Amino acid sequence: MSAERMPRLMWLKIDAIKIPPIRLSSELTEEESFEASIRRDGIMNPIQVIEDPQGNFWLADGANRLEVARKLGQEVVPVIVRPGTVEDAMVGSAVMNLKRGRVNPGLLAEFI
C-alpha cells in the first residue's frame, strides 16, 4: 500500500466532519452509560472518516461517539482518516454497523 493510501490518525474539529446524505447507523442500547464512558475516559476508539479528493472529511463510523462528543462540548475528536469518496463513507458505515449486528432491518432495507 502506498503512503498516500495509508490510514492516518489525527485530531479533527467536530465541525469539519460531514455526515453523508445516506448512512446506516447502529442502535445503542445503553446510551447513558455510553455517554458516561466518554465523559469519564474520552473517545477510546477513534472515529473513522473518509477524506475525499476535495479535502472534505466524511463520517464512515462513529456517529454516536461524534454526537456525544458534541453534546459534551468537545471541539476536537480523534479520527482515523482514509482516502476515498462520500460513497466509500456510506458503504463503510453500513459494513461496520452490520458487523456489529445492531441495525434496524427497516433502516437496512431503506439504505439498500
Side-chain angles (χ1 to χ4, degrees), residues 43-103:
I43 294 176
M44 302 297 289
N45 187 14
I47 292 167
Q48 306 281 323
V49 298
I50 301 294
E51 183 177 16
D52 69 19
Q54 292 76 37
N56 296 306
F57 296 98
W58 295 97
L59 180 68
D61 184 52
N64 294 317
R65 284 169 274 165
L66 185 66
E67 286 307 311
V68 169
R70 182 177 279 125
K71 180 179 177 182
L72 295 176
Q74 296 179 5
E75 294 183 23
V76 296
V77 291
V79 297
I80 293 178
V81 181
R82 290 182 172 78
T85 65
V86 64
E87 290 82 8
D88 293 326
M90 292 186 294
V91 171
S93 75
V95 169
M96 294 299 290
N97 288 309
L98 285 169
K99 285 181 179 180
R100 288 186 188 105
R102 295 185 304 209
V103 174

